[in-house]
Amino acid sequence: MPFQLSAKSRERLKGVHPDLRRVVERAIELTTVDFVVTQGNRTQDEQDELYAQGRTKPGKKVTWTRNSRHIGGFAVDVAPWVCGGIEWDDDGRIGVWPRIAEAFKAAAAELGVPIKWGGDWLKTKDRPHFELPADRYPA
Ligand SMILES: [Zn+2]
């Protein structure tokens, strides 16, 4: 069951580093769970705006940093797409994240592109987040 990136997902890959874009494009071919791209490149202004949310502006905190790898297009966020909608599966009951991460890691290995998955972070897990490592891809 090969999946395809939606037009919206493709649109959100604009400005993302070509190596990471290739990983996403290959991951959608390998994955056993469909996904959509929810975020790609951000400007510093956009990141500052997000950082203000839940701090100096109303809303829920959505980021903990002003130095996101999204700035300059070194990171993407994705979301599992299940039964016609986004399924965050925060409690891991459905088990969609490991399958998506597996597809990304397989795609990256195949293409020889190093990636890091936010779901592997020890403290605050960020499962939607995949990024190119800063030591290999400096901002
Ligand atoms: Zn992210």
Side-chain angles (χ1 to χ4, degrees):
M1 46 170 179
F3 297 111
Q4 283 185 348
L5 290 175
S6 67
K8 235 180 205 172
S9 288
R10 289 194 177 283
E11 181 69 25
R12 290 176 181 143
L13 287 177
K14 277 191 183 155
V16 168
H17 192 287
D19 285 359
L20 185 54
R21 220 161 52 208
R22 282 161 59 228
V23 171
V24 177
E25 285 164 353
R26 183 65 181 130
I28 196 74
E29 295 173 349
L30 298 175
T31 186
T32 54
V33 175
D34 199 5
F35 65 80
V36 292
V37 178
T38 58
Q39 284 270 301
N41 183 34
R42 285 179 204 148
T43 64
Q44 184 69 61
D45 282 353
E46 288 167 336
Q47 185 67 29
D48 290 350
E49 192 69 23
L50 283 179
Y51 188 79
Q53 200 179 310
R55 292 183 175 86
T56 55
K57 289 187 175 175
K60 196 179 140 213
K61 278 186 193 174
V62 288
T63 184
W64 59 88
T65 181
R66 293 190 55 236
N67 301 311
S68 167
R69 290 294 282 160
H70 286 280
I71 300 163
F74 297 98
V76 293
D77 294 340
V78 303
W81 188 259
V82 180
C83 299
I86 286 179
E87 169 57 70
W88 292 112
D89 194 22
D90 281 329
D91 56 12
R93 224 162 14 95
I94 302 172
V96 286
W97 285 112
R99 290 162 67 188
I100 290 175
E102 191 184 7
F104 269 82
K105 288 173 182 179
E110 194 183 297
L111 296 165
V113 174
I115 57 158
K116 292 203 287 192
W117 178 39
D120 288 329
W121 295 346
L122 295 176
K123 285 184 181 168
T124 312
K125 293 205 189 302
D126 187 0
R127 292 182 184 85
H129 183 95
F130 293 88
E131 68 175 41
L132 298 169
D135 54 346
R136 297 279 300 277
Y137 293 86

